[in-house]
Amino acid sequence: MTGRPVRTGRGAGQGSAGELLELVRSRRAVTRGALQQATGLSRATVGQRLDRLFRAGWLREGAGGPVDSPLGGRPSITLEFDDEHAVVLAADLDTRHARAAVLSLSGEILAEHSGTLVVEDGPDAVLGELGRWFGELLEKTGRGAESVCGVGLAVPGPVDTETGRVVQPPMMPGWDGYDIRSRLSRALTEHTDAAEVPVLVDNDANLMAYGEQRTGYPDCSAFVLVKVSTGIGAGVVVDGAVFRGIDGGAGDIGHIRVPEGAQTLCRCGSYGCLAAIASGGAVARRLAEAGVPAASGSDVRDLLASGHPDAVGLAREAGRRVGDVLATVVTLLNPGVLMVAGDLAGTPFLTGVRELLYQRALPRSTAHLDVVTARLGERSGLVGAGAMVVEHLYAPERVEERLRALGV
């Protein structure tokens, strides 16, 4: 590392306590000397700002590091982000099923619950039930409600992340414009004695992509995840950040029009959408028409797991149709990883995707592309939702606000 100061450029002020915390959390500088070198601050100033972080309980001292000087001497004491001082609550809603968890600040799942939760029952009932789940999970971990620093929620629809409200969600009738943050915060208070904490909401595919990219592919600068369940959506992570577009609509590939579906009505009210002919819901509908009991993407997943021949054939056909659209996505974004997740993310569907993707996309676009399935499985949305909360709360500019509120 050179002696030239490095700035994070995130609006917290040069060499602020928030910037020092980010340098430690990212492991770019983990000793007092390295922090001085990275920021250009004096030893005394670094010490004063670190003291605020220690008093807040956000930093701790680790083991001694290697001796930097060839003359020997005492080893440098390393600094660590204390990921035990608080916990995050996270939930991932699908159309007929949900998962909820308590996570450490480093993303470890401490307790988890999954069960039937139908979004068509409406936001008041669904979010109220999530509050009850959260209360039970906190009891299971033995952590008090005062340890909760924030809540993250993944939903199967487009989200205005500024307000936390879903915008015209085809899969979530009755949720359009609903104040999710206030209701979930109230539900948490109803089932615990938790004080009001930040509630953040984002699209499920976005958070699945974020969780998978951070944990499995941190060096991939362009990462795409496609979730194929009852509907179809994509999450895009560019340079470590979720790409949402100007109002949260990026990645909604399920509503790209395709010629094969010209006569098929989609849940959004239009004809010809990809989701209407190639989603888990579309495959379930075709199976039901053939006399096979199936009502949703999760039913198709169960049939695929048992090797049902009709389900296998339709899943491969759906994969080919999605692969045709993904050829354009890959050509446009040139990602290093294309991940397939959701109820249909098995061998038949993936085989169909690869067939059309490599046939239609230019070799230049796929030369360094890995086409894979989710590493975190059904937990990717939870991990992404937890990471979203942590990155929000410990961003340099927000650290300064929170330290002032704590009086340190």
Side-chain angles (χ1 to χ4, degrees):
M1 181 183 291
T2 67
R4 187 172 61 184
V6 177
R7 308 302 184 193
T8 62
R10 294 181 62 177
Q14 294 181 343
S16 67
E19 182 180 337
L20 298 190
L21 182 64
E22 180 166 278
L23 288 168
V24 173
R25 286 184 61 229
S26 65
R27 310 296 296 171
R28 285 182 286 161
V30 295
T31 66
R32 288 168 173 80
L35 290 170
Q36 289 176 241
Q37 193 174 22
T39 61
L41 298 175
S42 69
R43 179 178 179 179
T45 301
V46 166
Q48 291 168 357
R49 293 178 182 173
L50 288 178
D51 182 60
R52 298 176 67 200
L53 298 170
F54 278 112
R55 283 187 285 145
W58 298 351
L59 276 188
R60 63 188 175 202
E61 290 186 342
V67 177
D68 295 329
S69 171
L71 300 178
R74 296 176 59 188
S76 300
I77 299 299
T78 59
L79 303 171
E80 300 174 350
F81 178 62
D82 188 344
D83 62 359
E84 298 178 356
H85 74 267
V87 295
V88 174
L89 301 177
D92 184 6
L93 289 181
D94 209 332
T95 54
R96 304 184 63 82
H97 185 268
R99 306 182 78 86
V102 180
L103 295 91
S104 73
L105 298 181
S106 60
E108 178 187 359
I109 293 181
L110 306 176
E112 183 180 6
H113 175 76
S114 64
T116 300
L117 209 52
V118 182
V119 294
E120 290 187 357
D121 289 344
D124 187 63
V126 169
L127 298 174
E129 183 68 358
L130 278 182
R132 186 179 70 81
W133 288 9
F134 284 147
E136 293 176 351
L137 286 168
L138 282 171
E139 286 186 14
K140 189 174 180 179
T141 62
R143 300 295 296 257
E146 74 283 351
S147 67
V148 177
C149 64
V151 181
L153 177 64
V155 298
V159 176
D160 179 343
T161 53
E162 291 297 317
T163 65
R165 299 173 189 244
V166 291
V167 183
Q168 300 177 0
M171 311 296 293
M172 304 176 71
W175 290 69
D176 186 21
Y178 186 85
D179 190 354
I180 294 174
R181 289 177 177 172
S182 294
R183 178 64 183 106
L184 188 51
S185 179
R186 190 167 72 251
L188 182 61
T189 302
E190 289 168 359
H191 293 281
T192 71
D193 56 356
E196 185 174 340
V197 295
V199 176
L200 293 110
V201 186
D202 202 350
N203 172 262
D204 54 358
N206 284 348
L207 293 180
M208 291 171 71
Y210 193 47
E212 292 281 359
Q213 188 271 339
R214 284 173 58 91
T215 57
Y217 302 90
D219 297 325
C220 181
S221 60
F223 178 98
V224 176
L225 178 142
V226 179
K227 179 187 179 185
V228 187
S229 291
T230 299
I232 300 176
V236 179
V237 180
V238 177
D239 292 334
V242 175
F243 178 76
R244 298 185 176 88
I246 60 171
D247 61 4
D252 203 3
I253 66 169
H255 299 286
I256 291 175
R257 309 292 175 81
V258 292
E260 300 91 333
Q263 304 302 315
T264 306
L265 180 64
C266 181
R267 294 183 62 164
C268 72
S270 298
Y271 285 87
C273 294
L274 179 66
I277 63 167
S279 65
V283 172
R285 185 182 66 251
R286 292 186 64 183
L287 287 168
E289 291 170 352
V292 180
S296 66
S298 59
D299 293 335
V300 177
R301 178 190 61 208
D302 294 340
L303 290 167
L304 289 170
S306 67
H308 192 286
D310 290 344
V312 168
L314 289 173
R316 181 164 180 171
E317 180 184 334
R320 287 171 59 86
R321 287 171 169 170
V322 173
D324 197 6
V325 170
L326 289 177
T328 301
V329 173
V330 166
T331 301
L332 177 65
L333 296 177
N334 189 210
V337 175
L338 172 62
M339 179 174 284
V340 179
D343 293 329
L344 266 60
T347 300
F349 185 85
L350 199 63
T351 299
V353 168
R354 285 178 169 144
E355 284 178 11
L356 263 289
L357 174 63
Y358 289 109
Q359 177 182 327
R360 299 293 171 83
L362 292 172
R364 172 70 182 81
S365 300
T366 58
H368 301 100
L369 175 68
D370 289 330
V371 182
V372 300
T373 54
R375 290 188 173 189
L376 298 174
E378 295 183 342
R379 291 178 164 179
S380 56
L382 293 176
V383 173
M388 169 180 65
V389 172
V390 173
E391 292 306 311
H392 171 81
L393 291 177
Y394 295 93
E397 64 277 9
R398 203 151 288 107
V399 163
E400 291 302 310
E401 297 171 6
R402 296 178 65 205
L403 288 174
R404 287 193 293 269
L406 290 171
V408 298

